[in-house]
Amino acid sequence: MMLDQIMDDALRPAMALLPARMNTPAADCMLLAIGLQESRFVHRRQIGGPARGFWQVEKGTRASRGGVWGVFLHAASRDHLATLCKARSVAGDPDAIYAALEYDDVLAAGVARLLLWTDPKALPPVGDTQAAWALYLRTWRPGKPKPDSWGGLYQQAVTAIRTRTDRSMAHVATVD
């Protein structure tokens, strides 16, 4: 799947359902990079594992406060998650959310953004590969991290964001 299609079909609609301050190029870059790292935007169900959606979010548990449960319980994200679920006609409980991630790319993108939102640190600027990797490790807690693939995939995301920004700026310039 092309990154522009992910942006148009999943990220933009998800961001429209979340507070405007969550909608930034840095967030888009992280979400594209994580989606590439986790599923290459091919698999909505983890091969041989429990994760769901292009961002491969696990259900987690109340005790682990990871994955869906983490977003569901975290003070910074729980109200936004309720709004997102209502807009997507998904019951606001971890079981229903987890089940819907596999089929609802907008919900999956929104949950992924909210998972990033739970991190106390600011999103890294677009292009900061190491800080982006650190954020991914903190928030996704991958069982088998693959640092060798991160740099190239992250650069794909950076290129997609910068290209899109350049096109937007060119459009604005022609309108003025």
Side-chain angles (χ1 to χ4, degrees), residues 10-69:
L11 293 185
R12 296 284 61 80
M15 293 302 168
L17 300 172
L18 296 171
R21 66 187 181 276
M22 290 188 195
N23 184 4
T24 66
D28 289 344
C29 189
M30 281 302 304
L31 291 169
L32 291 177
I34 291 168
L36 286 166
Q37 181 78 3
E38 289 289 325
S39 73
R40 306 296 195 270
F41 293 110
V42 172
H43 307 285
R44 287 182 175 90
R45 179 183 281 252
Q46 185 180 20
I47 298 170
R52 299 289 184 266
F54 284 140
W55 290 271
Q56 300 290 291
V57 175
E58 293 186 11
K59 184 175 169 187
T61 65
R62 182 179 289 277
S64 74
R65 299 184 72 86
V68 172
W69 268 102

Side-chain angles (χ1 to χ4, degrees), residues 17-18 71-72 74-85 114:
L17 300 172
L18 296 171
V71 175
F72 180 78
H74 200 284
S77 57
R78 66 178 164 231
D79 292 341
H80 302 304
L81 179 61
T83 301
L84 178 65
C85 287
L114 290 172

Side-chain angles (χ1 to χ4, degrees), residues 44 88 90 100-109:
R44 287 182 175 90
R88 301 303 298 167
V90 173
L101 291 177
E102 186 174 353
Y103 305 103
D104 187 335
D105 295 340
V106 174
L107 178 71

Side-chain angles (χ1 to χ4, degrees), residues 104-137:
D104 187 335
D105 295 340
V106 174
L107 178 71
V111 169
R113 178 62 183 103
L114 290 172
L115 185 54
L116 291 173
W117 189 253
T118 65
D119 190 71
K121 293 186 178 185
L123 290 173
V126 173
D128 189 337
T129 307
Q130 293 304 337
W133 174 250
L135 173 59
Y136 165 68
L137 292 177

Side-chain angles (χ1 to χ4, degrees), residues 125-160:
V126 173
D128 189 337
T129 307
Q130 293 304 337
W133 174 250
L135 173 59
Y136 165 68
L137 292 177
R138 282 193 312 274
T139 52
W140 255 252
R141 299 187 246 168
K144 296 178 183 175
K146 297 180 178 106
D148 293 344
S149 60
W150 178 260
L153 296 172
Y154 181 75
Q155 284 309 309
Q156 286 181 43
V158 168
T159 299

